Amino acid sequence: MFELMPALLFLIICLLLMVGYPVAFTLSGVSILFALIGILTGTFDSSFLNAMPSRFYGIITNSNLYAVPMFIFMGVMLEKSRLAEDLLTGMARLFGKLPGGLGISVILVGMLLAASTGIVGATVVTMGLLSLPTMLRAGYSPSLASGTICATGTLGQIIPPSISLVLLGDVMSNAYQQAQLRSGVFATETISVGDLFSGALLPGLLLVVFYLIYVLIISRLKPELAPAATAEDLNGSDTGLIRALVGGLIPPLILIFGVLGSIITGAATPTEAAGIGAFGASLLALIRGQFSYSILREVAFNTTKVTSMVYMILIGASIFSLVFRGFGGDVVVEGIFEAIPGGVIGATIVVMLIVFLLGFILDFIEITYMVVPIVGPMLLAMGLNPIWLGVMLAVNLQTSFLTPPFGFALFYLRGATGDELKTGEIYQGVIPYIFIQLSILMLLAFFPELATWLPATL
């Protein structure tokens, strides 16, 4: 029975999360309950729980995580102050009158919004509300429009500087240190969040390029699915193009690329760059006359709400990890890995498949802090590159969130659009993008340099 406790703990938590119980309290509550049962039955050493205060303190004082609220603030400010809407309007004016132009605009703006928040739901809902009516009014196929919006919404998993990469980078750094200690290396090397940012940049941009190529091909082969938009469709005219570019397009682009560039070049840490991004987004809103007390209050409230959720999940996941190891779960997983045929390749394939399936029922934060700390150290101890593994996990989760019938992005768009779209149209629209993402995964598998070259060069 003792050997089954780790699996039973993991299974019950997953079942309760599927029912809809709060993530943070499910992780902590079920884990503590299992620990108490283990103490009463003599199968759990209560001294493991003594590490909880130091773990909580480590989470709160982790400087890498200070970037999270500021990146969230930056993204929410761009949305609430209508800068995101102006960005989409400017991009649509620039490309909209070309065949497939609106699709190109949605992909580029969605990439920028996803990068600034990293929250799939927020990006999909925002892009759905802002761009879907315009695309349908211009005569776009509902399946192509919905598929493009859903696919761009998931880009926050891989396009830096998103909070998902911040959290994943922190976990991968800890896993890498544990892997080195397991291998007897006590002068451990570290990887930073900036390393993961630079590793994810080329695969992320390559994914965007593939999206753009797909839309351009569709607009050429089947122009009736992605026709050129008229001035009436765009609610504007040619005379407003320069103003839209200067006022709505260029300033947010400078801000987002400035934040990312400062991290990639090493001029600023992710936390420092996040602070600049939050301040810059507020300054842009002020200059454009979109800054007010009510907007600031709403942005601050949403930022606090999301940040609190993230930190509570981290604390809950820390308790889960502690109890899981107390029951010998890491030993059980290690034994499973050793029994998998194919060595490190077989173990990696199994982990990627498990993470993909868990993406149907768990969000990226839960997977990052529940699953990666368990399997990460073992895979890295087998010789995998930590940056490559982090990028692979990010792309894998992105694909999972897009895959019918359970992908989170599909549910978000369906909920935001109501009866405007049929579920079958959404499913049909995302299939080509799923194949594109799978192709990126295969390219990363056969050419790891796509993820490791830029960090090594920098």
Side-chain angles (χ1 to χ4, degrees), residues 94-332:
L94 187 61
F95 295 109
K97 294 189 178 181
L98 301 173
L102 281 179
I104 293 172
S105 302
V106 167
I107 292 171
L108 294 177
V109 175
M111 172 191 72
L112 297 173
L113 290 184
S116 63
T117 63
I119 301 173
V120 172
T123 308
V124 172
V125 170
T126 301
M127 293 303 297
L129 294 175
L130 292 181
S131 61
L132 185 63
T134 303
M135 296 178 81
L136 295 180
R137 188 167 59 244
Y140 269 65
S141 159
S143 60
L144 178 62
S146 58
T148 303
I149 292 169
C150 287
T152 54
T154 62
L155 286 172
Q157 296 296 312
I158 188 65
I159 298 286
S162 70
I163 62 167
S164 57
L165 289 178
V166 173
L167 299 177
L168 185 59
D170 181 62
V171 172
M172 291 304 299
S173 177
N174 294 332
Y176 187 41
Q177 289 183 324
Q178 289 182 36
Q180 292 175 87
L181 292 174
R182 284 171 180 263
S183 303
V185 179
F186 296 100
T188 58
E189 300 177 5
T190 60
I191 64 166
S192 66
V193 174
D195 292 331
L196 189 59
F197 277 7
S198 56
L201 185 60
L202 288 181
L205 293 178
L206 189 60
L207 191 59
V208 172
V209 170
F210 280 15
Y211 284 0
L212 293 173
I213 291 173
Y214 166 69
V215 171
L216 287 173
I217 291 175
I218 286 294
S219 64
R220 292 288 182 181
L221 297 180
K222 297 182 178 180
E224 70 277 6
L225 300 182
T230 64
E232 291 73 21
D233 296 327
L234 301 176
N235 293 322
S237 62
D238 293 331
T239 57
L241 176 59
I242 300 300
R243 197 169 89 180
L245 290 177
V246 175
L249 183 58
I250 296 177
L253 286 177
I254 293 174
L255 173 65
I256 293 171
F257 284 116
V259 169
L260 178 58
S262 64
I263 298 171
I264 297 297
T265 59
T269 66
T271 302
E272 294 167 343
I276 295 171
F279 175 77
S282 302
L283 187 62
L284 284 181
L286 180 64
I287 292 173
R288 304 244 326 140
Q290 302 285 358
F291 190 88
S292 65
Y293 172 75
S294 60
I295 289 177
L296 179 61
R297 183 176 181 275
E298 189 174 2
V299 171
F301 177 79
N302 287 341
T303 301
T304 305
K305 182 179 177 181
V306 176
T307 304
S308 301
M309 176 198 72
V310 170
Y311 272 87
M312 286 304 299
I313 291 176
L314 301 190
I315 290 173
S318 178
I319 298 173
F320 163 77
S321 175
L322 200 63
V323 175
F324 186 84
R325 285 192 167 89
F327 278 115
D330 53 341
V331 178
V332 174

Side-chain angles (χ1 to χ4, degrees), residues 10 28 81 93 144 258 284 301 323 339 345 398 404 408 422 435 448:
F10 190 85
S28 55
S81 62
R93 295 270 181 86
L144 178 62
L284 284 181
F301 177 79
V323 175
I345 296 176
Q398 179 183 359
F408 281 131
K422 297 178 181 178
F435 282 108

Side-chain angles (χ1 to χ4, degrees), residues 313-383:
I313 291 176
L314 301 190
I315 290 173
S318 178
I319 298 173
F320 163 77
S321 175
L322 200 63
V323 175
F324 186 84
R325 285 192 167 89
F327 278 115
D330 53 341
V331 178
V332 174
V333 173
E334 188 172 0
I336 294 173
F337 274 30
E338 292 174 352
I340 295 174
V344 64
I345 296 176
T348 304
I349 292 173
V350 170
V351 168
M352 289 297 167
L353 181 60
I354 291 173
V355 168
F356 179 83
L357 295 175
L358 287 176
F360 289 154
I361 59 174
L362 303 179
D363 195 37
F364 80 91
I365 300 178
E366 298 133 48
I367 293 175
T368 299
Y369 280 90
M370 279 180 60
V371 181
V372 178
I374 296 172
V375 302
M378 298 171 194
L379 287 177
L380 295 177
M382 297 171 80

